Amino acid sequence: MRRMDTRLVNLVIDAARPEVLADFWAALLGWRVAAEEPDEIDVRAPETDGWDLDLVFVPVPEPKVGKNRIHLDLASRSPAHQAELVERALELGARRVDLGQGAVPWVVLADPEGNEFCVLEPRDRYARTGAVASILVDAHDPERMAAFWTRLTGWPVEAREGDVLVGLRAPTGRGPWLEFLRNDDVKRVKNRVHLDVAPPAGAGHAETVAAIVAAGAAPADLGGPEVPWRVLMDPEGNEFCVLAPPLSHSAVSPGLPSRGER
């Protein structure tokens, strides 16, 4: 299938206290708070890291319910570095989480608002990703999800683990993987973590939205006032936003004003 030339621009996280989460993640990853406004706080990686998205925290009134379907996996260079990352996270306000993972070589933690993330043991695949190894998405059908998102982002499939996991990687070979992991849990509430995509240069917003819907997305009606971006759902119901020029950050939440320019 022909790629769409849309591109990933943000990973957005709903938060009761955006400033607390932004400070936590900036300190843990060694990144910086790049913008702070009433309706969002942006955390940005240094260019040397390879992460090209903004990590955006937006205020929402809804509490977190259940395990997130999208989470971050952090990379480590050695067992000592993994232990150091875990200790740093705990000192910054994270806590250990038991999701039934049993005896595994990675460590499952939750940030100050309960968003799960993993600190991975050293793995060759993530040796050059920077601080974040992977944006990991729970999926009933990893192959179907990977096919949709590779068309949307232009990131090719670069890894498969049987029928359990499919991984996409940016063509530059830098930054995190986008991975789809088989999980049979049923999606019950709006995701607190979602991706934003931007139309290709010179393309109209409505034209881009129509093409994405034709590729398998569906409109998402979350209520609230009109906003300049469009909220869609991927083939398994995960919300994402198609931004309208100029680039604006978006929250998949009703009642929030439009975002400022990057």
Side-chain angles (χ1 to χ4, degrees), residues 11 14 21 45 63 77 84 86 99 119 128 130 147 164 174 183 189 218 239 248:
L11 181 73
D14 292 352
L21 278 195
R77 299 184 298 272
E84 176 189 326
V86 171
L99 299 175
V119 182
R128 290 169 293 279
V164 175
R174 302 177 71 242
N183 186 308
V189 297
E239 300 86 2
S248 297

Side-chain angles (χ1 to χ4, degrees), residues 31-42:
W31 297 358
R32 66 183 178 90
V33 175
E36 190 165 356
E37 301 175 6
D39 60 340
E40 74 173 71
I41 300 177
D42 302 348

Side-chain angles (χ1 to χ4, degrees), residues 242-256:
V242 183
L243 304 188
L247 285 187
S248 297
H249 302 136
S250 64
V252 184
S253 305
L256 291 176

Side-chain angles (χ1 to χ4, degrees), residues 152-209:
L152 192 61
T153 63
W155 291 21
V157 172
E158 295 287 352
R160 281 188 173 88
E161 296 179 11
D163 63 352
V164 175
L165 182 141
V166 183
L168 312 184
R169 191 79 193 277
T172 61
R174 302 177 71 242
W177 291 70
L178 178 60
E179 297 180 322
F180 302 92
L181 177 68
R182 183 173 295 281
N183 186 308
D184 293 331
D185 291 349
V186 177
K187 182 178 184 291
R188 301 185 186 280
V189 297
K190 174 180 70 70
N191 288 345
R192 290 182 74 82
V193 182
H194 75 267
L195 293 163
D196 284 349
V197 301
H205 186 248
E207 166 194 351
T208 300
V209 169

Side-chain angles (χ1 to χ4, degrees), residues 136-147:
L136 194 139
V137 183
D138 289 349
H140 293 169
D141 186 340
E143 287 287 353
R144 182 186 183 204
M145 288 286 283

